[in-house]
Each structure stands twice: as structure tokens, then as C-alpha cells.
Amino acid sequence: MKRLFLYRLAVVAGAIALLEIFCLTGVIDKITMQPPHLIARDLYRLLASGRMNGAIWKTSTNTLLALVLALGVGVVAAALLHRLRALRDTLDPLFATYYAVPVFAFYPFFIVVFGLGDLPQILIAFMLGVVAMIVNTLNGLDRVPPVLLKTGRIMRLTPIDTALRLTLPAAGPYILTGVKLAVAYAFIGIIGSEFILSRGGIGYEINFAYNNFDNATMYPLIVLILLASIAINTVLTRWEKTLLARRGAR
Amino acid sequence: MTTQVALSNVGKTFPASPTTAALHALGPIDLELQRGEFFAVVGPSGCGKSTLLEIIAGLTPATQGSVEFEGRRIAGEAPDSIGVVFQEDASLPWLDVTENVAFGLRRSKLAKDERDARVRDALRLVGLSDFATSYPAQLSGGMRQRVCIARTLVMQPRLILLDEPFGALDQQTRLLMGDELLLMWRATGATVFLITHALDEATMLADRIGVMSARPGRLIDVVETNWPRERDSRIVERSEFGAITARLWKTLREESLKTIGRAVPKPAADA
Ligand SMILES: Nc1ncnc2c1ncn2[C@@H]1O[C@H](COP(=O)(O)OP(=O)(O)O)[C@@H](O)[C@H]1O
Ligand SMILES: [Mg+2]
């Protein structure tokens, strides 16, 4: 476990070192990319200057908002769908094909309807995440052992208690898989829509820097996004591991 | 003695599905359980024992006849004060042992002290005091089953239904669990309805033993053991023990042969 982590670290460090060498020796020219140590320096300066605080704040709050919406709506919708067999049978094939729909294609439509503010961006991110939540939560609910449902009936739990205290916790690991996907989708949705048409946010800033050949801003911001998503994923994976370890191999 | 559970003419037929024909699984059965007695049920596998338990527990409705619990008709809803320990592991893997045992008390109006005391007592009774903060995954199958027994006990049910709770355990552990079950039965004063496939277990534990026929399961014999209330696994040393177990086996042999699809041998073979 610890050794594996060290190997992983070595691979990443090696890749960065290689990039550094390529940049310094001119294999990768200066206009394409700065060497990693300069990117790190620029990132530090960018953060210290506070110039990006507004963009960081906007992107993270919007992502969080879309994520919370996707989680809440996703879990509730899944719990309801699980009880409404007929509705679920109708929607199941739609969920299966949902990922084939390029949600971003709706972005212009959203802008027409909801205006140029943050709302269309949050909606895009929400739409990407919520289906992952629904599908995974339903999957988990399907696998709740019947004996647990019988136990709930013997204990005379109300439908809401049954969901909150029995079936949703039982589906926990599957829901967490949904959360991990929803986090990724929320990020993609927000930053992607900021790229396309927006007046702020990290995606917008990256696009702006790109259009102005401002590598000293663009690369540090890309790295910032990378670091943020790695950090979040690490935390979630840790959490998942403790959860699964507690439950054993069952 | 007062009657606690009264089954009259109870039967169950599972309706046909697109892939299966309708199945007459159980009955008709007439049976009365007396308050505080220990009643065991034995029968060939698939004869409807679990179905019978679920009907008494109100988990599934009978398709024929009537079931009364303490004078009230049961119709497809679990009555208060009935506890069930299922054959499958029903421990909750995301809760530790204490939380598992306290699960049914969460919404009760008991004071916290009283709740904690009940959980502690139940854990002591099933011998899991040292595992209060363990998670089910860290326990053996038998210990998990005891968690479920403790979870049932804290609710202080007046009727406890157990469906082959020790099915997966080895013989020695089963005998010891039987002793614990007898202790609980005496300590709680509850009525116990135990399904088992082990004839010696039924003989050792029960006041009365119902023997069921092959499917559709009916009661073909009810045997009284006449054991004293104060008893434990040493009862197997008594001469009556062998006689009762032999009688159960004699009744069951034909039925069991039916379920494994073998012709019943001619009586001459018994001589
Ligand atoms: N929900 C169900 N639908 C259809 N058939 C069932 C159902 N539950 C049980 N059965 C059938 O009813 C019979 C009795 O089952 P069960 O009560 O579990 O037997 P036992 O517990 O004595 O082994 C079996 O043949 C079983 O396949
Ligand atoms: Mg059974």
C-alpha cells in the first residue's frame, strides 16, 4: 500500500521531470509551454495576487451548488422511482441512452431561456451529474437484500424511515460511486460551460488567457483544476475505502 | 395457559407467474400457540415452514383461513410485539454491534438510559458484550446471527419467531446457542416459535414440536416433550430424548423421502 503510493509518486515526479527537461532543452518550445517549475511559480504568484479569487469562488460555488442539487434530486428521484415500478420501467431505457446525449448542445437553449447568468451553467452541470446519481442509487437499491426489507417491516418503519435508515444506507457504496461521478460531471459541466459562453469563472479565465497567448495564466489555472479534482477524488476514494473495509467483503 | 396465536384452516397458494404455475405451498393448518411456550417446527425442506413463519409475522398474507395474534386478526401487516430472526443474515453492515441492536429502539419513547440498559442487557445475554463496537463484517456468521437475536430481544417482543437461526453453525456451537436460547426464553417469558431442520435441536429445546408434511405443508404430528421449564442441553442424556427424536424421525422419514423424489420403501424394510 505504502510502497504502491511511493511508486505512483515516482511515476508522477518522473513525468514532471521529463517535461522539465523537454522544456529546458527546447524540445518543447517556450511558446507552447512553460517548464513545470515556472508553472508552479506562476501558480503561486497568481494565487498570492488574489487576481483569480473571484473566478475561483464563482467556479467552486457553482460546482458545489450543481453537485448538491444533483445529489439531492438524484437520491430522492431514485428512491421514488424505486417504489414506482411502472414509471421506472418507462424511464430505464432513457437513462441507458442518456450518456449518448451531448448535454452541451442544449447550452444555447438554456441561455435563451435563463439568460447569461450562472443558472444555465449550473443547470448543465446538474443535468450531467443527476443521472449518474439516479442510475447508481437505483442500482444500489436493487441490491438491498430482501431480508433487510423484511426486518424494516417487522420493526414497523415508516416508508421514509425505511428509506433513510435502511435502504439508502444499505445502498451506500453504490451511492458513493454515483457521488464520485457526479463530482466529476459537475466540474466538467461548470468549467465546460464557462469555456463556451460566460463572463467569469476559471473556465472563462483559461479561455481568455488562451486567446491572449497568456501562458503564464493558462497553465497555472489548468494545473489548479487538476490539483483540485485530484484532491477531491482522493478524499472520496479514501472515504469509499473505509466504508467498504467496514462492510468487509460482503 | 392462554392462547396467543391461533391459526385456523390457514393455507397459502402462490399465484402463477409468467414463468411458473400457481403453487400450493402450505396448509391447511390449524394450530394454537400458548403464551410463553416454546414451540418448534420441523419438516422437509420446501414444505412451507418459512412461509408459515411469514404468515404469523404478518409479512405475507395467508390465501386461506385466518390468523389471530392476541385476539386480533393479522392481515398482511406486522403486528407490534412480534420479533423475527431470519434464516439469512440480517445484520446491518454499516452499523456497529451496539447500533445494530439499538436499531429498533430509535423511534421508541424510551429514555436514553433505559435504551442503553436494554442494549447492554441484550448484548450480555447473547454473549457479545466484548464486541459492542465491532462491525458485523468483523464477526463470524454465528455472532452476526446473535446480533440479530439481541436486536429482537431489546424490543421485548411477546412472540419471537426464529427461522433456522443456527442453520449455518457447527453442531457444538448449535448446542451452546440452544442453551442460550433457553436462557433467553426463560428470562423474557416470551413465546418462542422456532423453525429448525435439526430434530435433536427441536427435541432439546421445545415444549411441543410440530412435524410438517411435504409440500403443501400440513401438521402431521404434534409431539409434547414434557421437559421442565428449567432445562439445558444436558437434557440429551435423558432416555426420553432418544425416544422423542426417534418418533420425530419416524414421522418425517416418509415425508423427507417424498421431497427428494424417492419411492417410499416397502414396510418390510423397516422391520
Ligand atoms: N414468493 C414466493 N413465490 C412463489 N413460490 C414461493 C415463494 N416463496 C416460497 N415459495 C415456494 O413455496 C414453497 C415453500 O417455501 P418455504 O416456505 O421457503 O419452505 P421451507 O422454509 O420449508 O424450506 C417452496 O416450494 C418455495 O419454492
Ligand atoms: Mg425456510
Side-chain angles (χ1 to χ4, degrees):
Chain A
M1 175 62 219
K2 191 135 198 179
R3 176 177 295 185
L4 213 64
F5 176 74
L6 287 179
Y7 283 153
R8 217 171 284 153
L9 209 64
V11 169
V12 173
I16 293 174
L18 209 63
L19 213 57
E20 183 81 39
I21 291 169
F22 283 167
C23 287
L24 290 179
T25 54
V27 176
I28 299 175
D29 65 83
K30 265 208 175 93
I31 302 167
T32 307
M33 190 179 167
Q34 303 251 54
H37 79 272
L38 286 183
I39 295 180
R41 187 203 62 191
D42 290 343
L43 177 58
Y44 174 76
R45 285 187 182 166
L46 204 62
L47 292 178
S49 75
R51 190 151 67 81
M52 284 299 152
N53 285 359
I56 293 172
W57 175 252
K58 174 183 177 294
T59 299
S60 30
T61 48
N62 282 358
T63 305
L64 197 68
L65 217 65
L67 182 65
V68 168
L69 264 177
L71 300 194
V73 173
V75 168
V76 171
L80 287 176
L81 278 177
H82 191 68
R83 293 184 74 92
L84 305 173
R85 190 74 234 183
L87 184 59
R88 172 158 179 207
D89 289 343
T90 317
L91 291 179
D92 253 348
L94 292 181
F95 290 145
T97 52
Y98 187 83
Y99 295 112
V101 177
V103 173
F104 278 109
F106 293 112
Y107 195 44
F109 166 75
F110 281 163
I111 288 178
V112 169
V113 177
F114 300 109
L116 253 182
D118 291 358
L119 191 56
Q121 298 164 26
I122 295 171
L123 272 180
I124 289 269
F126 162 76
M127 280 177 63
L128 283 171
V130 73
V131 175
M133 266 325 277
I134 293 178
V135 168
N136 282 284
T137 305
L138 275 176
N139 191 11
L141 291 176
D142 286 343
R143 278 155 222 262
V144 176
V147 70
L148 294 193
L149 299 176
K150 287 180 195 166
T151 302
R153 288 176 60 198
I154 288 293
M155 303 267 182
R156 296 152 64 91
L157 299 185
T158 61
I160 289 184
D161 264 1
T162 304
L164 291 182
R165 298 187 56 210
L166 210 56
T167 50
L168 289 175
Y174 293 89
I175 296 178
L176 199 53
T177 303
V179 172
K180 279 169 74 178
L181 286 172
V183 168
Y185 283 131
F187 254 118
I188 293 172
I190 292 292
I191 292 173
S193 13
E194 285 172 355
F195 255 86
I196 302 175
L197 197 55
S198 167
R199 285 172 301 199
I202 296 182
Y204 165 82
E205 296 291 352
I206 291 176
N207 194 36
F208 188 83
Y210 167 74
N211 286 329
N212 292 292
F213 307 102
D214 180 7
N215 278 2
T217 306
M218 185 178 86
Y219 280 112
L221 285 180
I222 292 175
V223 169
L224 182 66
I225 291 175
L226 213 60
L227 291 178
S229 59
I230 289 174
I232 294 170
N233 241 294
T234 308
V235 169
L236 286 175
T237 306
R238 278 265 169 90
W239 189 23
E240 192 177 28
K241 270 203 184 129
T242 24
L243 211 75
L244 290 180
R246 178 182 294 170
R247 293 188 181 213
R250 279 204 296 166
Chain B
M1 283 259 172
T2 50
T3 301
Q4 187 178 36
V5 179
L7 308 176
S8 80
N9 199 33
V10 164
K12 176 87 180 181
T13 302
F14 289 104
S17 78
T19 50
T20 59
L23 183 90
H24 184 195
L26 180 75
I29 281 185
D30 290 288
L31 173 66
E32 290 192 349
L33 299 182
Q34 305 304 318
R35 189 179 291 257
E37 82 169 317
F38 197 130
F39 192 92
V41 175
V42 294
S45 60
C47 74
K49 302 182 294 294
S50 297
T51 305
L52 175 62
L53 178 140
E54 296 204 354
I55 289 174
I56 297 175
L59 287 172
T60 186
T63 47
Q64 158 194 350
S66 77
V67 188
E68 281 185 5
F69 174 70
E70 297 184 345
R72 285 221 192 95
R73 243 183 118 114
I74 292 178
E77 204 213 327
D80 209 352
S81 61
I82 289 187
V84 181
V85 178
F86 295 97
Q87 182 168 11
E88 304 93 343
D89 177 14
S91 61
L92 310 173
W94 61 92
L95 300 178
D96 70 18
V97 167
T98 302
E99 293 163 337
N100 257 284
V101 173
F103 184 80
L105 295 177
R106 264 279 295 275
R107 288 281 185 275
S108 73
K109 291 174 187 70
L110 293 177
K112 189 172 180 312
D113 290 354
E114 163 72 6
R115 225 182 291 172
D116 293 347
R118 277 204 203 178
V119 171
R120 234 179 301 118
D121 288 348
L123 283 179
R124 182 149 11 92
L125 207 53
V126 299
L128 286 179
S129 299
D130 292 342
F131 297 89
T133 56
S134 302
Y135 282 87
Q138 300 168 290
L139 306 178
S140 70
M143 289 158 96
R144 290 208 279 264
Q145 205 53 286
R146 274 139 75 189
V147 170
C148 296
I149 293 175
R151 185 173 68 195
T152 300
L153 288 179
V154 294
M155 308 291 287
Q156 301 188 341
R158 293 192 292 276
L159 170 62
I160 304 176
L161 311 169
L162 302 107
D163 194 348
E164 306 196 24
F166 314 133
L169 304 187
D170 58 81
Q171 179 74 5
Q172 300 89 293
T173 317
R174 237 160 13 99
L175 286 177
L176 294 178
M177 289 301 296
D179 277 338
E180 288 186 20
L181 198 55
L182 283 173
L183 274 176
M184 286 172 230
W185 169 61
R186 277 199 300 274
T188 59
T191 312
V192 170
F193 178 92
L194 170 78
I195 295 173
T196 172
H197 59 252
L199 303 186
D200 53 346
E201 192 173 283
T203 309
M204 169 184 132
L205 295 173
D207 295 316
R208 290 196 298 156
I209 303 152
V211 183
M212 280 172 76
S213 68
R215 193 183 72 216
R218 287 155 291 109
L219 279 175
I220 47 176
D221 197 6
V222 176
V223 182
E224 294 206 23
T225 59
N226 292 313
W227 301 135
R229 194 172 164 85
E230 299 289 331
R231 60 182 182 252
D232 58 35
S233 56
R234 283 172 296 178
I235 211 123
V236 301
E237 294 158 14
R238 296 210 192 181
S239 59
E240 304 100 296
F241 181 88
I244 294 169
T245 312
R247 173 171 164 193
L248 294 178
W249 176 230
K250 193 158 179 285
T251 320
L252 260 181
R253 203 171 93 101
E254 278 185 21
E255 294 301 322
S256 300
L257 284 173
K258 274 187 213 164
T259 55
I260 61 174
R262 200 115 57 79
V264 181
K266 297 263 166 345
D270 281 336

